[in-house]
Amino acid sequence: MIRLENVSLAFGDKVILDNTSLSIKKGEIAIILGPSGAGKSSILKIMVGLWQPDAGRVLINNKDISKLSELEMLPLRRKMGIVFQGNALFDSLTVKENVAYFLREHGGIKESLVNEKVSEVLSFVNLEGTEKICIDELSGGMKKRVAIARALSFDPDIIFYDEPTTGLDPINSKSILDLIKRASSRGATSVVVTHILNDAIYIGDTLSVINEGAVVETGTVYEMLRSENKFVKDFFYEVFQDAALLQNKIL
Amino acid sequence: MASSFITFKKKILALQEYSLMLKDLFLSIKSINKCKRDAINEMYLVGSQAFLLVLLGGAFVGIILALETGYQLDLFGAKTLVGRTVSLGMVRELGPTITGLLLAARTGAKNASELGAMQISEQIDALRAFGTNPVLKLVMPRTIAAMVMFLPLTAIADMSGILSGMVVTKLSLHVDTSFFWNSAISALLIKDIFVGFTKPILFAFFIATISCFYGFNTRGGTSALGKNTINAVVVSSLTVLVLDFILTKIVWELL
Ligand SMILES: Nc1ncnc2c1ncn2[C@@H]1O[C@H](COP(=O)(O)OP(=O)(O)OP(=O)(O)O)[C@@H](O)[C@H]1O
Ligand SMILES: [Mg+2]
């Protein structure tokens, strides 16, 4: 469904992605896991066609998008929902105007249908009745939900989440993760970028560990835990440590 | 040496990107209908925020012009020419320039900081991800609004300058107001009015596009936002002065 082939990207002398490849299957929740500055957001921006790679191919449904113009990208944009790292909600608009943005921009859809869709996705993210609230008045967790609702509003085939739980408390984190699971069970493919190992293990079908602009290893949680790769071992060390800590506390 | 070369290269690259943005802007003229509402909204903002500023700016420039030229002309017994000097000076040069400089600061800072904040918070990426052309959505309405609103604002600056010049001339040089007014109006030729109102349209275009360009190219955090806003104001103000010189030169050569 999504495949990166030997993708490279640099800003000036700074190499961001270094000849890296990755593939994501239809319907799964794929996690891109890596430390801060590893190039996670960059890889995501390349997958959704916001940035073009310097070299390599980006295939979405077997179509290479790496050199498409904005206009040629448009049909694909209708299939991809994005939840940005900082939410990227339009702060001059209300919750409803944000969620309805895509529908109004492209749909030519009747206002009554827009209303219907907006209240459906808002209730899906447990934010019924918040239509008229301004973005500035929302809490961090609520903003994240609105961002998810906006990404879901046009029933995309693929949903991309950039660090969806960063900065949220454990309760809000958990409910966002459950939301991602529920959204995925409606049939969409999900790509989740995160640096939080527990979240990755909790929702991920497959995990790709990325470091310094390249994918180090891809596999299921089980495979990752048994990996021999030094970086993957270091990254997953935390899990064993937490388990040991808990065991000590209990015993 | 090497570092100044790199800065130079960066400047050239920025100029290239700016031209690409202008190209994008011209290409999106065909979809101009889409941003009618945003443009009207921006016009209201530009107009309401700048009205008082331009009124006061124009008034003080008019007063200074009247006083300075008045005292000099009085030495030659020609204080009756003050009206003429003030009106020509205001309409041809100072009205457009003062309006341009004030709006480079006011509107330029507004554009650069608004778009910069949108860039930092990934709202511009979000627009693109939703298939909206950010140049059409954000730059076009601001450019149209500036180009439309600069005309009445310049007229306000001109009028305010001439009228306050008239009052000051009456008070300090005892030139009769109706005499001042008549000489002020009769001095103005179509040519002067044409020049005086072509300038603001061009100033507006460059102020709006330059400040939006700086906003778009804000990368990094809030410190970049501050720096880019300052640069936007500095570069658009300088552009106003340079353009003013070029246009004045052209006009003197041609007309
Ligand atoms: N527009 C840009 N220009 C130059 N360098 C950039 C740009 N965007 C990102 N970078 C650099 O690319 C590297 C990877 O950035 P990226 O945002 O992809 O990392 P990340 O893994 O998402 O990190 P984080 O967890 O902090 O979000 C960083 O070193 C960053 O400084
Ligand atoms: Mg990131």
Side-chain angles (χ1 to χ4, degrees):
Chain A
M1 174 134 220
I2 305 173
R3 217 165 65 236
L4 302 189
E5 289 176 355
N6 306 95
V7 167
S8 296
L9 176 75
F11 286 116
D13 310 330
K14 193 164 182 213
V15 177
I16 312 284
L17 296 177
D18 187 10
N19 193 23
T20 194
S21 302
L22 173 72
S23 106
I24 290 164
K25 287 198 286 290
K26 191 170 158 57
E28 70 178 357
I29 300 186
I31 308 284
I32 296 174
L33 186 64
S36 195
K40 303 183 298 294
S41 297
S42 309
I43 223 170
L44 199 80
K45 286 193 174 140
I46 283 186
M47 279 187 206
V48 299
L50 284 173
W51 291 358
Q52 296 189 336
D54 299 332
R57 303 206 304 159
V58 182
L59 300 159
I60 306 273
N61 293 331
N62 293 320
K63 186 174 166 67
D64 186 4
I65 65 160
S66 60
K67 289 179 187 64
L68 295 188
S69 68
E70 288 286 334
L71 208 62
E72 294 166 320
M73 264 313 284
L74 207 55
L76 278 160
R77 299 241 191 260
R78 293 165 201 265
K79 300 196 167 117
M80 304 194 281
I82 309 168
V83 180
F84 287 90
Q85 186 160 354
N87 299 325
L89 295 170
F90 303 124
D91 44 23
S92 55
L93 306 179
T94 62
V95 169
K96 178 179 170 186
E97 286 165 332
N98 265 282
V99 176
Y101 188 89
F102 190 92
L103 299 172
R104 287 178 175 160
E105 183 79 1
H106 297 293
I109 305 172
K110 268 203 290 255
E111 196 55 26
S112 60
L113 283 177
V114 170
N115 287 337
E116 208 171 284
K117 191 70 205 175
V118 169
S119 49
E120 185 215 311
V121 283
L122 280 181
S123 88
F124 183 79
V125 300
N126 300 325
L127 281 178
E128 298 94 340
T130 54
E131 278 92 341
K132 294 206 174 63
I133 300 180
C134 283
I135 294 301
D136 296 334
E137 296 167 32
L138 300 176
S139 72
M142 285 164 92
K143 278 185 186 154
K144 190 59 79 185
R145 282 161 201 279
V146 175
I148 294 178
R150 187 176 67 172
L152 293 177
S153 67
F154 47 98
D155 295 316
D157 297 341
I158 317 171
I159 310 164
F160 297 87
Y161 303 87
D162 194 351
E163 311 239 2
T165 57
T166 302
L168 297 182
D169 58 85
I171 307 281
N172 264 305
S173 281
K174 169 108 180 1
S175 73
I176 294 290
L177 293 173
D178 288 331
L179 198 57
I180 294 175
K181 274 188 169 179
R182 271 201 291 138
S184 140
S185 67
R186 304 211 297 190
T189 308
S190 310
V191 180
V192 183
V193 158
T194 183
H195 66 262
I196 303 170
L197 188 56
N198 284 326
D199 294 358
I201 293 173
Y202 181 55
I203 58 170
D205 294 322
T206 57
L207 276 54
S208 298
V209 176
I210 163 175
N211 186 32
E212 290 178 354
V215 175
V216 180
E217 197 159 321
T218 302
T220 60
V221 174
Y222 184 70
E223 285 161 352
M224 285 297 169
L225 289 173
R226 314 182 77 204
S227 167
E228 288 301 320
N229 183 292
K230 168 102 175 48
F231 183 78
V232 177
K233 271 188 149 164
D234 284 350
F235 208 95
F236 278 72
Y237 176 69
E238 188 191 324
V239 185
F240 297 112
Q241 204 183 23
D242 286 354
L245 200 73
L246 266 180
Q247 211 165 24
N248 279 343
K249 269 269 187 244
I250 295 163
L251 293 181
Chain B
M1 183 63 209
S3 78
S4 69
F5 179 70
I6 292 173
T7 342
F8 180 70
K9 207 173 113 188
K10 271 192 187 150
K11 293 239 157 74
I12 298 288
L13 278 177
L15 210 58
Q16 182 188 350
E17 273 178 47
Y18 175 66
S19 338
L20 286 176
M21 188 190 89
L22 290 190
K23 185 182 142 212
D24 204 352
L25 188 67
F26 284 119
L27 287 180
S28 51
I29 285 181
K30 60 180 187 300
S31 324
I32 210 164
N33 274 341
K34 270 195 167 177
C35 56
K36 219 186 282 166
R37 245 187 54 200
D38 288 329
I40 290 172
N41 207 1
E42 285 297 324
M43 275 180 216
Y44 170 73
L45 287 177
V46 171
S48 64
Q49 288 167 345
F51 176 76
L52 209 61
L53 207 59
V54 165
L55 193 74
L56 284 176
F60 281 104
V61 169
I63 290 170
I64 294 163
L65 193 61
L67 287 177
E68 286 290 345
T69 55
Y71 289 132
Q72 294 301 319
L73 290 170
D74 201 16
L75 291 179
F76 302 99
K79 64 182 178 185
T80 47
L81 288 176
V82 182
R84 188 186 159 80
T85 318
V86 170
S87 78
L88 282 177
M90 281 313 294
V91 171
R92 293 181 62 113
E93 289 296 334
L94 293 171
T97 311
I98 279 298
T99 313
L101 288 177
L102 289 175
L103 292 184
R106 186 67 188 84
T107 313
K110 169 183 168 293
N111 288 345
S113 57
E114 273 176 6
L115 300 204
M118 288 186 77
Q119 179 66 269
I120 291 175
S121 61
E122 296 178 298
Q123 288 177 55
I124 290 179
D125 279 336
L127 282 176
R128 287 179 53 212
F130 287 136
T132 303
N133 177 358
V135 171
L136 176 64
K137 172 87 184 165
L138 301 170
V139 183
M140 186 66 95
R142 285 171 170 76
T143 310
I144 296 174
M147 289 173 82
V148 172
M149 292 313 287
F150 272 32
L151 289 176
L153 287 170
T154 306
I156 289 168
D158 290 352
M159 272 324 272
S160 145
I162 295 172
L163 290 178
S164 48
M166 181 169 83
V167 172
V168 128
T169 316
K170 163 88 184 155
L171 294 178
S172 63
L173 297 171
H174 312 293
V175 174
D176 187 43
T177 50
S178 67
F179 191 82
F180 180 102
W181 183 251
N182 286 335
S183 83
I185 296 305
S186 63
L188 288 176
L189 302 176
I190 294 290
K191 176 178 94 173
D192 303 312
I193 295 181
F194 176 75
V195 174
F197 286 92
T198 312
K199 282 181 180 177
I201 296 183
L202 284 169
F203 292 168
F205 176 80
F206 283 100
I207 290 171
T209 52
I210 288 173
S211 56
C212 288
F213 175 73
Y214 273 97
F216 266 153
N217 282 287
T218 307
R219 290 280 141 46
T222 35
S223 71
L225 183 63
K227 223 171 70 190
N228 270 26
T229 307
I230 293 170
N231 284 340
V233 172
V234 170
V235 174
S236 16
S237 310
L238 280 176
T239 308
V240 166
L241 294 174
V242 173
L243 268 180
D244 189 39
F245 161 70
I246 295 174
L247 291 172
T248 306
K249 182 87 183 137
I250 290 177
V251 166
W252 279 114
E253 307 263 306
L254 293 185
L255 297 180

Coordinates of all heavy atoms in Angstrom, one line a residue, chain A residues 101-144:
Chain A
Y101 N -13.4 21.7 7.1 CA -12.6 22.4 6.1 C -12.5 21.6 4.8 O -12.8 22.2 3.7 CB -11.2 22.7 6.7 CG -10.4 23.6 5.8 CD1 -10.5 25.0 5.8 CD2 -9.7 23.0 4.7 CE1 -9.8 25.8 5.0 CE2 -9.0 23.9 3.9 CZ -9.1 25.2 4.0 OH -8.4 26.0 3.1
F102 N -12.1 20.4 4.9 CA -11.8 19.6 3.7 C -13.1 19.4 2.9 O -13.2 19.6 1.7 CB -11.2 18.3 4.0 CG -10.7 17.5 2.8 CD1 -9.4 17.7 2.4 CD2 -11.5 16.7 2.1 CE1 -8.9 17.0 1.3 CE2 -11.1 16.1 0.9 CZ -9.7 16.2 0.5
L103 N -14.2 19.1 3.6 CA -15.5 18.8 2.9 C -15.9 20.1 2.2 O -16.4 20.0 1.0 CB -16.5 18.5 4.0 CG -16.2 17.2 4.8 CD1 -17.3 17.0 5.9 CD2 -16.2 16.0 3.9
R104 N -15.8 21.2 2.8 CA -16.2 22.5 2.1 C -15.3 22.8 1.0 O -15.8 23.4 0.0 CB -16.3 23.6 3.2 CG -17.5 23.4 4.1 CD -17.5 24.6 5.1 NE -18.7 24.5 5.9 CZ -18.8 25.1 7.1 NH1 -17.8 25.8 7.6 NH2 -19.9 25.0 7.8
E105 N -14.0 22.6 1.2 CA -13.0 23.0 0.2 C -13.2 22.2 -1.1 O -13.1 22.8 -2.2 CB -11.6 22.8 0.8 CG -10.5 23.3 -0.1 CD -10.3 24.8 -0.1 OE1 -11.0 25.5 0.7 OE2 -9.4 25.3 -0.8
H106 N -13.5 21.0 -1.0 CA -13.5 20.1 -2.2 C -14.8 19.5 -2.5 O -15.0 19.0 -3.6 CB -12.5 19.0 -2.1 CG -11.1 19.6 -2.0 ND1 -10.5 20.2 -3.0 CD2 -10.2 19.6 -0.9 CE1 -9.3 20.6 -2.6 NE2 -9.1 20.3 -1.3
G107 N -15.7 19.4 -1.6 CA -16.8 18.5 -1.8 C -17.8 19.0 -2.8 O -18.3 18.3 -3.6
G108 N -18.2 20.3 -2.7 CA -19.4 20.7 -3.3 C -20.6 20.0 -2.7 O -21.6 19.7 -3.3
I109 N -20.3 19.7 -1.4 CA -21.3 18.9 -0.6 C -22.3 19.9 0.0 O -22.0 21.0 0.4 CB -20.7 18.1 0.5 CG1 -19.6 17.2 -0.2 CG2 -21.7 17.2 1.2 CD1 -18.7 16.5 0.9
K110 N -23.6 19.4 0.1 CA -24.6 20.2 0.7 C -24.3 20.5 2.1 O -23.8 19.6 2.8 CB -26.0 19.5 0.5 CG -26.7 20.0 -0.7 CD -28.2 19.8 -0.6 CE -28.6 18.4 -0.6 NZ -29.1 17.4 -1.0
E111 N -24.7 21.7 2.6 CA -24.3 22.1 4.0 C -24.9 21.1 5.0 O -24.3 20.8 6.0 CB -24.8 23.5 4.2 CG -24.2 24.2 5.4 CD -22.7 24.2 5.5 OE1 -22.0 24.2 4.4 OE2 -22.1 24.3 6.6
S112 N -26.1 20.6 4.7 CA -26.8 19.7 5.7 C -25.9 18.4 5.8 O -25.8 17.8 6.9 CB -28.2 19.3 5.2 OG -28.2 18.7 4.0
L113 N -25.4 17.9 4.7 CA -24.5 16.7 4.8 C -23.2 17.0 5.5 O -22.7 16.2 6.3 CB -24.2 16.2 3.4 CG -25.3 15.5 2.7 CD1 -24.9 15.1 1.2 CD2 -25.7 14.2 3.4
V114 N -22.7 18.2 5.3 CA -21.5 18.6 6.0 C -21.8 18.6 7.5 O -21.0 18.0 8.3 CB -21.0 20.0 5.6 CG1 -19.9 20.5 6.5 CG2 -20.5 20.0 4.1
N115 N -22.9 19.2 7.9 CA -23.3 19.2 9.3 C -23.3 17.8 9.9 O -22.9 17.5 11.0 CB -24.6 19.9 9.5 CG -24.5 21.4 9.3 OD1 -23.4 21.9 9.5 ND2 -25.6 22.0 9.0
E116 N -24.0 16.9 9.1 CA -24.2 15.5 9.6 C -22.8 14.9 9.8 O -22.6 14.2 10.8 CB -24.9 14.8 8.4 CG -25.8 13.7 8.9 CD -26.6 13.2 7.7 OE1 -27.6 13.9 7.4 OE2 -26.3 12.2 7.1
K117 N -21.9 15.0 8.8 CA -20.6 14.4 8.9 C -19.8 14.9 10.0 O -19.2 14.2 10.8 CB -19.9 14.6 7.5 CG -18.6 13.8 7.4 CD -18.9 12.4 7.2 CE -17.7 11.5 7.6 NZ -18.0 10.1 7.5
V118 N -19.9 16.3 10.2 CA -19.1 16.9 11.3 C -19.6 16.3 12.7 O -18.8 15.9 13.5 CB -19.3 18.4 11.3 CG1 -18.7 19.0 12.6 CG2 -18.5 19.0 10.1
S119 N -20.9 16.3 12.8 CA -21.3 15.8 14.2 C -21.1 14.3 14.3 O -20.8 13.8 15.4 CB -22.8 16.1 14.4 OG -23.6 15.7 13.4
E120 N -21.0 13.5 13.2 CA -20.7 12.1 13.3 C -19.2 12.0 13.8 O -19.0 11.2 14.7 CB -20.9 11.4 12.0 CG -20.6 9.9 12.0 CD -20.0 9.3 10.8 OE1 -20.5 9.6 9.7 OE2 -19.0 8.6 10.9
V121 N -18.3 12.6 13.1 CA -16.9 12.4 13.5 C -16.6 13.0 14.9 O -15.8 12.5 15.6 CB -15.8 13.0 12.5 CG1 -15.7 12.1 11.3 CG2 -16.1 14.4 12.1
L122 N -17.3 14.1 15.2 CA -17.1 14.7 16.5 C -17.6 13.7 17.6 O -16.9 13.6 18.7 CB -17.8 16.1 16.7 CG -17.0 17.2 16.1 CD1 -17.7 18.5 16.3 CD2 -15.6 17.4 16.6
S123 N -18.7 13.1 17.4 CA -19.1 12.1 18.4 C -18.2 10.9 18.4 O -18.0 10.3 19.4 CB -20.6 11.8 18.2 OG -20.7 10.7 17.3
F124 N -17.6 10.6 17.2 CA -16.7 9.4 17.2 C -15.5 9.7 18.1 O -14.9 8.8 18.8 CB -16.2 9.2 15.8 CG -15.3 8.0 15.6 CD1 -15.8 6.7 15.6 CD2 -13.9 8.2 15.5 CE1 -14.9 5.7 15.5 CE2 -13.0 7.1 15.4 CZ -13.5 5.9 15.4
V125 N -15.0 11.0 18.2 CA -13.9 11.3 19.0 C -14.4 11.8 20.4 O -13.6 12.4 21.2 CB -12.9 12.4 18.4 CG1 -12.4 11.8 17.1 CG2 -13.6 13.7 18.1
N126 N -15.6 11.6 20.7 CA -16.2 12.0 22.0 C -16.2 13.5 22.3 O -15.8 13.9 23.4 CB -15.5 11.3 23.2 CG -15.7 9.8 23.1 OD1 -16.7 9.3 22.6 ND2 -14.6 9.1 23.5
L127 N -16.5 14.3 21.3 CA -16.5 15.7 21.4 C -17.8 16.3 21.0 O -17.9 17.3 20.4 CB -15.4 16.4 20.6 CG -14.0 16.4 21.2 CD1 -13.0 17.0 20.3 CD2 -13.9 17.0 22.6
E128 N -18.9 15.6 21.3 CA -20.2 16.1 20.8 C -20.5 17.5 21.4 O -20.1 17.8 22.5 CB -21.4 15.2 21.4 CG -21.3 13.8 20.9 CD -20.6 12.8 21.9 OE1 -19.8 13.4 22.7 OE2 -20.8 11.6 21.8
G129 N -21.1 18.3 20.5 CA -21.6 19.6 21.0 C -20.5 20.7 21.1 O -20.7 21.7 21.7
T130 N -19.3 20.4 20.6 CA -18.2 21.4 20.7 C -18.1 22.2 19.5 O -17.2 23.0 19.3 CB -16.9 20.7 21.0 OG1 -16.7 19.8 20.0 CG2 -16.8 20.1 22.3
E131 N -19.0 22.1 18.5 CA -18.9 22.7 17.2 C -18.5 24.2 17.2 O -17.7 24.6 16.5 CB -20.2 22.6 16.4 CG -20.4 21.3 15.7 CD -21.2 20.3 16.6 OE1 -21.2 20.5 17.8 OE2 -21.7 19.3 16.0
K132 N -19.1 24.9 18.1 CA -18.9 26.4 18.0 C -17.8 26.9 18.8 O -17.5 28.1 18.9 CB -20.2 27.1 18.5 CG -21.4 26.8 17.6 CD -22.4 27.9 17.7 CE -23.5 27.7 16.6 NZ -24.3 26.4 16.8
I133 N -17.1 26.0 19.5 CA -16.0 26.5 20.4 C -14.8 26.9 19.5 O -14.5 26.3 18.5 CB -15.6 25.4 21.4 CG1 -16.8 25.0 22.3 CG2 -14.4 25.8 22.2 CD1 -16.5 24.0 23.3
C134 N -14.0 27.9 20.0 CA -12.8 28.3 19.3 C -11.7 27.4 19.7 O -11.6 27.0 20.8 CB -12.5 29.8 19.6 SG -13.5 30.9 18.7
I135 N -10.7 27.3 18.8 CA -9.6 26.3 19.0 C -8.8 26.7 20.2 O -8.4 25.9 21.0 CB -8.7 26.3 17.7 CG1 -9.5 25.7 16.6 CG2 -7.5 25.5 18.0 CD1 -10.0 24.3 16.8
D136 N -8.6 28.0 20.5 CA -7.8 28.5 21.6 C -8.4 28.0 22.9 O -7.6 28.0 23.9 CB -7.7 30.0 21.6 CG -7.0 30.5 20.3 OD1 -6.2 29.7 19.8 OD2 -7.2 31.6 19.9
E137 N -9.7 27.8 23.0 CA -10.3 27.5 24.3 C -10.2 26.0 24.6 O -10.6 25.6 25.7 CB -11.7 27.9 24.3 CG -12.0 29.4 24.1 CD -13.4 29.7 23.8 OE1 -14.3 29.0 24.2 OE2 -13.6 30.7 23.0
L138 N -9.6 25.2 23.8 CA -9.6 23.8 24.0 C -8.3 23.3 24.8 O -7.3 24.0 24.7 CB -9.6 23.0 22.7 CG -10.8 23.2 21.8 CD1 -10.6 22.4 20.5 CD2 -12.1 22.7 22.5
S139 N -8.4 22.3 25.5 CA -7.2 21.7 26.2 C -6.4 20.9 25.2 O -6.9 20.6 24.1 CB -7.7 20.8 27.3 OG -8.2 19.6 26.8
G140 N -5.2 20.5 25.6 CA -4.3 19.8 24.7 C -4.9 18.5 24.1 O -4.9 18.2 22.9
G141 N -5.5 17.7 25.0 CA -6.2 16.5 24.6 C -7.3 16.7 23.7 O -7.5 15.9 22.7
M142 N -8.1 17.7 23.9 CA -9.3 18.0 23.1 C -8.8 18.5 21.7 O -9.3 18.1 20.7 CB -10.1 19.1 23.7 CG -11.0 18.6 24.8 SD -11.6 20.0 25.8 CE -13.2 20.3 25.0
K143 N -7.7 19.3 21.7 CA -7.2 19.7 20.4 C -6.8 18.5 19.5 O -7.0 18.5 18.3 CB -6.0 20.6 20.6 CG -6.3 22.0 20.9 CD -5.1 22.9 21.0 CE -5.4 24.3 21.4 NZ -4.3 25.0 22.1
K144 N -6.1 17.6 20.2 CA -5.7 16.4 19.5 C -6.9 15.6 18.9 O -6.8 15.2 17.8 CB -4.9 15.5 20.5 CG -4.2 14.3 19.8 CD -3.2 14.8 18.8 CE -1.9 15.2 19.4 NZ -0.9 15.8 18.3

